[in-house]
Structure formats: C-alpha cells, structure tokens
Amino acid sequence: MLSDQLKIAPDSVERAARTLRAGGLVAFPTETVYGLGADAENVDAVERVFAVKGRPSTHPLIVHLSGAHQLPDWVVEVPDAARRIAERFWPGPVTLVLRRARRVPLAVTGRLETVALRVPDHPVALALLTAFGGGVAAPSANRFGSVSPTTASHVREGLGSDVDYVLDGGSCAVGVESTIVDLTGEPAILRPGGVSREDLEQVLGGSVPVRGKSAVRVPGQLPSHYAPRARVLLVEPGQVLGLAEHLRAQGCRVGVLVPPEFAGDAGSGAGQRVIVVPDSHARYARQLYEFLRDFDRHGCEVIVASVPVPDGLGLAITDRLRRAAGPRG
Ligand code: TXA
Ligand code: MG
C-alpha cells in the first residue's frame, strides 16, 4: 500500500491536495529539500508564497509536475535536449528552464517568458502531485536567504503557522537543491545541484558551462544565500583547525567543518564545535544544511570550513558554502 510505503497517515496526501485546490500553501518533502507549494495557476496562492517567504516577486518559482508526460502542457516547445535530460533524470534533482506556455502565470515566473520545471523523486511529492493533478509552484520552504529545510521540523521552525499544511516525508536524501539548466539557448547550468555537471554533459554530449552571472534573476545567484546566522569563513583545508583555534583564543564561539584527512584528533570543547565532514560527497551534501543549523543551535558566531573538490556533488556543496560565506546584505 502506498501509505505503508510512505509511512504517513493515509488521508494526509488527499488533505494536502485539497488544501492546494482551495488556494492554500502546503509544505512537502522532495529528494532535495522541502518545498513550499501552491497551485501554480492560482495567482493569489502564488503571491502568498512570495509573501510568506519574504521573497521579492521578481524571483521566479519552480513548477513541480508529476511526470515528464506533463511537460508539453507547460512550455511552448520541448527541445530535444530537454527530452533527453527528462528521460534520463526525471524524477530527479534537475530543473529545466524553457519557454513558458500561456497557462503559466507571470506571477510564477517573476514576469519572465521562461518557466522552470521539475519532477521530484520522492514518493510523497509524487503522490501529492498525482492527486492534485496540476502544477505546484514551490520554492524551498524557508525564509528568503536562509538555510533550506531538509526535514519537516525545519519547515515548522522556520515558517510556523504561515503554512497551511506540512506533509512529513522524513529527511531529504539528496540534501541540496536541484541543478537548474537553462535550455532556452545553448545549455548552461544556472545553479549546480543534485545532478552533476558531468552527468549532464554525458547526456547532452558536450560541455555545459556553469553560468556565473545571468540576465535572469536567480536568488541562488545572489552573493549571500543559503546562509546560517553564523559568519562563514572559507580557507584551505590545511588551515581550518589553525584559524579555528586562533578565533577561539580570541573568545569567539567557533564551528568547524574539517575534512577527515585534516581532522587529526580535533574534537568539540569549550567554545568550539567540530564536525568532521563525511568523506563521500553524497553524504556531505545530504547533511550540509543540518551541519549549518547545528552550528546556529550551538550559538557559534563563526564557521570555519574549506570547500571540497568540485567534482560530482562537490560542485553543489562548494557553491552553497561560497554563497553562505558571501557578503551579507
Ligand atoms: O530542489 C529544488 O529545486 C527545490 C525543491 C523544493 O524543488 N526548490 C528550490 O526552489 O530550490 P527555490 O525557489 O529555492 O530556487 C529555485 C531557483 C531560483 O534560484 C529561481 O530563481 C530559479 O530556480 N528559477 C525559477 N524560474 C526560473 C527561470 N524562469 N529562469 C531562471 N531561473 C529560474
Ligand atoms: Mg531556496
């Protein structure tokens, strides 16, 4: 039975779908992070998503679909590259930017003529999208600029009663957001994420650049984003412990993210919380946001970290750490 598999109350998906139909907001799990969903074709509901997130209305939302078969309903045309990526990776952590069909309200796209679409790989998300039937516009279910939620309790802590219904699907398996690929021209990555650049290049049969600055407004491309309260300092892996010790000696509460090869016998103690990062990129990505939250919970004022080798999921981890370390607005 679906409900056994999902380990959620049998009627909760139906209740969530009803909430969406009534114009309400539903937080739901995906394989990447939790989303804050609204009926993509209900402009009032979409506007409430922006209000709850505190997100400028010019920053577009991703429309979530139950399957690739729905793609042609939401875009003017499905280019060959989109077909190939969808076939290979959907359901999965990659989002396609294509030219929008008229049914996509401009409120969703931040008034752009393009729309971002994805099919998430999570049984609860797919059950919700199938029960609802339409597209669900959803950003990550956190306030604008803060760390994305990877559990239902993160969502409740962050958004409280501003969300009408929260579907709990456990911890997110990928842990960082989807890769966003712009296919309106030459393919380009707008945000590194759960599907690696290498895998995309293999499917597209050519190099796919990561576009640093783009004409479109992608909040993931603002300097400071995905940021914990603590200030984040990035240094070479061999300098992490030394800088942390220096700051601690000055009376700072320090959080430390250190790779296993450089951890020595460092441990948490007075004024210092040490997390030795997992040696696999996949496990690191899955836990990255929880690590950042952990430091905030422990009152760390500064986080000292290094970036991993930027291959595979390492590119997304590096991107999120750099943005967390970016200048604060
Ligand atoms: O994994 C994910 O993508 C998660 C889950 C919930 O699906 N969603 C997510 O949404 O990360 P959000 O809103 O936090 O980030 C969506 C990104 C933003 O950077 C947004 O600007 C970009 O997608 N985006 C949306 N529509 C776009 C468009 N038409 N052109 C370019 N970028 C777009
Ligand atoms: Mg987000």
Side-chain angles (χ1 to χ4, degrees), residues 53 55 140 142 148 177 225-226:
K53 261 195 83 90
R55 169 154 157 166
S140 51
N142 55 299
S148 299
E177 295 83 349
H225 212 72
Y226 313 104

Coordinates of all heavy atoms in Angstrom, one line a residue, residues 53 55 140 142 148 177 225-226, ligand 2:
K53 N 7.5 33.7 2.2 CA 9.0 33.5 2.1 C 9.7 34.8 2.3 O 10.9 34.9 2.7 CB 9.4 33.0 0.7 CG 9.6 31.5 0.6 CD 10.3 31.1 -0.6 CE 11.8 31.3 -0.5 NZ 12.6 30.1 -0.1
R55 N 10.2 36.8 -0.2 CA 11.0 36.8 -1.4 C 10.5 37.9 -2.4 O 9.3 38.0 -2.6 CB 10.9 35.4 -2.0 CG 11.4 35.2 -3.4 CD 11.8 33.8 -3.5 NE 11.8 33.2 -4.8 CZ 12.4 32.1 -5.1 NH1 12.9 31.3 -4.1 NH2 12.5 31.6 -6.3
S140 N 12.0 26.5 -2.1 CA 12.4 25.9 -0.8 C 11.6 26.5 0.3 O 11.3 27.7 0.3 CB 13.9 25.9 -0.6 OG 14.3 27.3 -0.7
N142 N 11.7 27.8 3.2 CA 12.4 28.6 4.2 C 12.2 30.1 3.9 O 11.8 30.4 2.8 CB 13.9 28.2 4.2 CG 14.5 28.4 2.8 OD1 14.1 27.8 1.8 ND2 15.5 29.3 2.7
S148 N 18.1 26.2 3.6 CA 16.9 25.4 3.1 C 16.6 24.2 4.1 O 17.5 23.7 4.7 CB 17.2 24.8 1.8 OG 17.4 25.8 0.8
E177 N 19.7 21.5 -3.3 CA 18.7 21.8 -4.3 C 19.0 21.2 -5.6 O 20.2 20.8 -5.9 CB 18.4 23.3 -4.4 CG 17.8 24.0 -3.2 CD 18.9 24.3 -2.2 OE1 20.0 23.9 -2.3 OE2 18.5 25.1 -1.2
H225 N 23.4 33.7 0.3 CA 22.2 32.9 0.2 C 22.5 31.6 0.9 O 23.6 31.3 1.2 CB 21.9 32.6 -1.2 CG 20.4 32.6 -1.5 ND1 19.6 33.7 -1.4 CD2 19.6 31.5 -1.7 CE1 18.3 33.3 -1.7 NE2 18.3 32.0 -1.9
Y226 N 21.5 30.8 1.3 CA 21.6 29.6 2.0 C 22.5 29.8 3.3 O 23.3 29.0 3.6 CB 22.4 28.5 1.1 CG 21.8 28.4 -0.3 CD1 22.5 29.0 -1.4 CD2 20.6 27.7 -0.5 CE1 22.0 28.9 -2.7 CE2 20.1 27.6 -1.8 CZ 20.8 28.2 -2.9 OH 20.3 28.1 -4.1
Ligands
MG2 MG 15.7 28.4 -2.0

